[in-house]
Amino acid sequence: MSEQPFTIEQFYKHINQGRLMGGKCKKCGKVHLPPRPLCDKCLSKEFEWVEISQKGKLMTYTIIHVAPPQFQSMAPYAVGIIQLENGLKIPGMIRDVEHEKIKIGMELKMKFDTSIVQSQWPQWPRYYFKPA
Amino acid sequence: MIFQTSNGQRRKKLKGKPLVSIVSAGLSKFGKLEGLYAREIFAQAAKEAFDRCPNLDPKKDIKALFVGHMGESYEHQGHTGATVADWAGLQHIPATRTETACASSAAALRAGIFAVLSGLYDVVMVGGVEKMTHRTTPEVTEFLAMASDFPFEQWHGITFPGLYALMATAHMHKYSTTEEQLAMIAVKNHHNGFLNPKAHMQKEVTLEKALSSRVIAWPLKLYDCSLITDGASCLIITKPETAKKYTDTPIQIIGSGQASDSIGIYERESLTSLIAAKIAAKQAYEMAGIKPEDIDIAEAHDCFTIAEIIAYEDLGFCKPSEGGKLMESGETKLDGKIPVNTSGGLKSKGHPVGATGTAQAYEIYLQLTEQAEKRQIKDARIGLAHNVGGSGATAAVHIFRRE
């Protein structure tokens, strides 16, 4: 595991395996989600991978009606920022729930959509959230 | 504690001293300028600035140019510095493009201030330009989104209005801000823009119309969003000591601040304020030696209505949580205690992104030199411009004073 670089590319490789992984600074202990090559707190570059809880609470959300071309078929769709159990935050789509039932503070869990988008770059999988 | 910056002492030394003086300013018409290329639009703004200042010989006196321009995607044209310098008739002077997304020309203004303050040049032109309306709305949406995080925001379907909508929902939840208060920003700014002959959308909007417009990213509706606009703006700045050589009514810049934050809003400390704007404002106030209550007029970055409400709080015009109430009180209207966006703002005057920062400064210049005609604020002496890049990863604040 230690040879895996602490990059966004590697973060999405983990997502492809159904795992949410962050980089924990070996010097100051700060956990970075997504991982970074340089700790923004203490400037160390020594990290270890840690598994992050896939459950959290909704901090804020919006319903996107006017979408970019690649998301147009899904509109209107909900996106939000989720605070995970360990305090880390991550944005994502909220699916499998009626929009009227979405509430700040609701419990959500992460799901994975690993059907890779056929583009030259990037070939990252997607994740989303649904009610826990 | 976040406001403790290492060069605070240096700013205190500058307290109240003018950094530079504006001796002239120009603004193209804002709107759908069909058939015009960015360099041609910039030439319009430059020409107005030249004509406004007959004592200045542009070819002889202007020694450098800094121009804000966000994207080369619109016209397949980068290398904007040299291009607009040439088309403004300022051949061979050093010309450099600055880019901080929607705050690109505030960055140009700061580069100009540094150039003059360093003593290297006595007279510098700063400005900005963007030509956007010839592209389709999905294309423009995609180009603008490039100012936000790609791997975690854009990749998961979050649009640019979506980012401000996330802040709006959080603000409404935490502070009970209402959709009506957001719509009131649109009504106010459209009223001001109605009085500005250079505004893109010179028309009044009712509260009912704003509230019933189609949803873009709930809770933001069409009338909560600024316009896709073509336009250019510029200022001619000089050493304060020699400004009177060029004009009887120079406007001094007495404060300048700029700060940055995470590109992704999800990584930030707050979803209801822009820390970068708070830091930039703190720097500018400290340098100017004034407080928020000393400001007579302001141009605030209303790319979305919620952004103006957050700006009231970040700039200290009211307490955090009270931005919506400040709008409702009417104090930021033309006849209020602190009129905000007398130009019509990005909402009604328009938002050619690269041009916006110096277009805000242009409005403050007009107001402080009493040339704002139907929207003139009586006896305005101190003005502020608040320019935000992207969803708040950059913010710049400038403070201006009538001499």
Side-chain angles (χ1 to χ4, degrees):
Chain A
M1 202 135 198
S2 58
E3 299 96 63
Q4 292 168 345
F6 291 85
T7 58
I8 290 167
E9 199 66 30
Q10 185 59 47
F11 169 85
Y12 274 112
K13 279 184 186 163
H14 286 136
I15 292 291
N16 233 342
Q17 296 157 1
R19 304 179 76 190
L20 180 62
M21 302 292 287
K24 184 177 178 182
C25 175
K26 283 184 181 170
K27 198 173 158 202
C28 77
K30 180 170 175 178
V31 180
H32 297 266
L33 182 76
R36 295 175 172 218
L38 184 66
C39 178
D40 68 354
K41 191 175 171 194
C42 74
L43 305 181
S44 159
K45 53 174 191 156
E46 300 300 318
F47 294 94
E48 58 187 344
W49 288 102
V50 286
E51 187 118 27
I52 310 288
S53 162
Q54 297 177 11
K55 288 186 189 160
K57 278 186 182 169
L58 185 63
M59 296 180 75
T60 187
Y61 70 100
T62 173
I63 314 293
I64 307 272
H65 287 247
V66 177
Q70 64 273 33
F71 290 98
Q72 236 150 34
S73 63
M74 298 175 81
Y77 56 87
V79 295
I81 297 176
I82 293 86
Q83 183 152 38
L84 302 165
E85 278 174 356
N86 56 6
L88 293 167
K89 294 173 282 184
I90 191 166
M93 260 195 215
I94 305 157
R95 283 159 52 178
D96 303 338
V97 57
E98 286 169 48
H99 291 165
E100 297 72 37
K101 291 192 176 152
I102 298 176
K103 294 274 177 289
I104 289 178
M106 74 189 292
E107 309 266 346
L108 297 168
K109 64 177 177 193
M110 193 179 241
K111 301 297 280 181
F112 300 92
D113 184 355
T114 50
S115 51
I116 287 184
V117 183
Q118 291 305 310
S119 67
Q120 209 185 351
W121 178 90
Q123 297 205 329
W124 298 327
R126 288 196 166 93
Y127 48 81
Y128 63 94
F129 289 86
K130 63 175 280 184
Chain B
M1 95 213 124
I2 189 142
F3 302 121
Q4 294 302 326
T5 50
S6 58
N7 57 352
Q9 284 308 317
R10 199 169 308 162
R11 282 200 300 277
K12 276 177 193 146
K13 271 189 205 158
L14 286 167
K15 201 167 175 171
K17 284 188 190 151
L19 307 171
V20 298
S21 289
I22 303 173
V23 296
S24 191
L27 188 81
S28 74
K29 171 78 177 91
F30 270 25
K32 195 171 165 61
L33 308 180
E34 241 165 300
L36 289 182
Y37 219 58
R39 61 186 81 170
E40 295 155 350
I41 302 169
F42 188 84
Q44 281 185 17
K47 179 65 176 157
E48 182 190 325
F50 299 157
D51 290 350
R52 199 186 275 282
C53 195
N55 294 345
L56 180 124
D57 178 349
K59 282 182 172 290
K60 190 171 131 271
D61 295 329
I62 297 175
K63 301 294 190 202
L65 181 145
F66 297 95
V67 62
H69 182 218
M70 180 183 159
E72 47 277 276
S73 307
Y74 296 103
E75 291 184 325
H76 287 280
Q77 184 67 66
H79 213 155
T80 317
T83 311
V84 303
D86 184 17
W87 286 66
L90 302 174
Q91 292 89 354
H92 307 307
I93 61 169
T96 306
R97 167 183 166 188
T98 54
E99 193 277 314
T100 49
C102 317
S104 291
S105 55
L109 172 54
R110 279 175 62 84
I113 291 171
F114 301 155
V116 172
L117 266 184
S118 73
L120 195 57
Y121 303 118
D122 289 349
V123 183
V124 168
M125 177 176 262
V126 299
V129 66
E130 212 79 52
K131 167 69 185 163
M132 308 169 79
T133 66
H134 59 298
R135 304 307 290 257
T136 64
T137 301
E139 281 174 337
V140 173
T141 307
E142 195 184 341
F143 299 158
L144 286 174
M146 290 178 190
S148 68
D149 175 81
F150 180 71
F152 302 97
E153 292 179 345
Q154 294 175 52
W155 185 248
H156 296 281
I158 308 181
T159 58
F160 204 67
L163 291 167
Y164 277 91
L166 290 170
M167 294 186 230
T169 310
H171 208 276
M172 287 163 63
H173 181 77
K174 189 170 176 192
Y175 299 135
S176 306
T177 302
T178 64
E179 290 179 59
E180 285 75 14
Q181 289 168 340
L182 297 181
M184 283 175 194
I185 297 276
V187 173
K188 168 179 75 71
N189 291 352
H190 271 282
H191 173 71
N192 298 353
F194 176 68
L195 303 174
N196 180 356
K198 283 189 175 173
H200 184 168
M201 204 183 263
Q202 289 164 56
K203 72 169 194 190
E204 301 269 8
V205 170
T206 62
L207 194 67
E208 295 68 36
K209 185 166 181 180
L211 280 170
S212 61
S213 60
R214 70 189 171 100
V215 177
I216 303 297
W218 182 87
L220 301 181
K221 293 163 276 293
L222 184 65
Y223 278 99
D224 289 303
C225 305
S226 57
L227 308 172
I228 294 169
T229 303
D230 307 325
S233 55
C234 68
L235 311 169
I236 300 172
I237 59 173
T238 71
K239 282 200 301 191
E241 302 79 34
T242 51
K244 286 258 164 95
K245 212 166 93 182
Y246 303 109
T247 176
D248 295 333
T249 55
I251 297 303
Q252 298 174 336
I253 299 183
I254 55 172
S256 175
Q258 182 182 338
S260 57
D261 201 349
S262 323
I263 183 86
I265 73 165
Y266 67 96
E267 291 191 283
R268 297 187 196 154
E269 211 175 276
S270 168
L271 287 167
T272 52
S273 73
L274 301 180
I275 306 295
K278 283 183 164 177
I279 297 171
K282 166 94 175 163
Q283 292 172 356
Y285 284 133
E286 199 173 289
M287 204 183 269
I290 63 162
K291 294 190 162 62
E293 48 270 33
D294 299 321
I295 302 291
D296 297 318
I297 50 163
E299 290 287 301
H301 195 91
D302 58 328
C303 50
F304 298 94
T305 49
I306 183 64
E308 182 168 325
I309 285 183
I310 290 175
Y312 294 164
E313 299 172 9
D314 291 345
L315 294 169
F317 296 166
C318 62
K319 288 184 195 143
S321 82
E322 291 181 353
K325 286 186 202 114
L326 178 60
M327 176 63 247
E328 219 173 326
S329 73
E331 294 294 6
T332 57
K333 293 184 179 177
L334 289 181
D335 58 355
K337 218 157 61 185
I338 175 164
V340 176
N341 285 328
T342 60
S343 68
L346 286 52
K347 180 69 210 75
S348 159
K349 183 183 61 181
H351 185 25
V353 284
T356 285
T358 39
Q360 294 176 322
Y362 174 89
E363 176 69 9
I364 301 287
Y365 173 82
L366 286 192
Q367 289 285 357
L368 300 185
T369 54
E370 298 189 348
Q371 301 180 74
E373 299 176 346
K374 285 184 192 160
R375 57 189 195 285
Q376 181 63 48
I377 306 300
K378 204 170 165 280
D379 297 330
R381 291 193 56 78
I382 298 182
L384 177 148
H386 156 275
N387 193 196
V388 175
S391 57
T394 294
V397 172
H398 284 93
I399 298 173
F400 308 80
R401 181 175 66 194
R402 191 199 290 200
E403 218 173 278

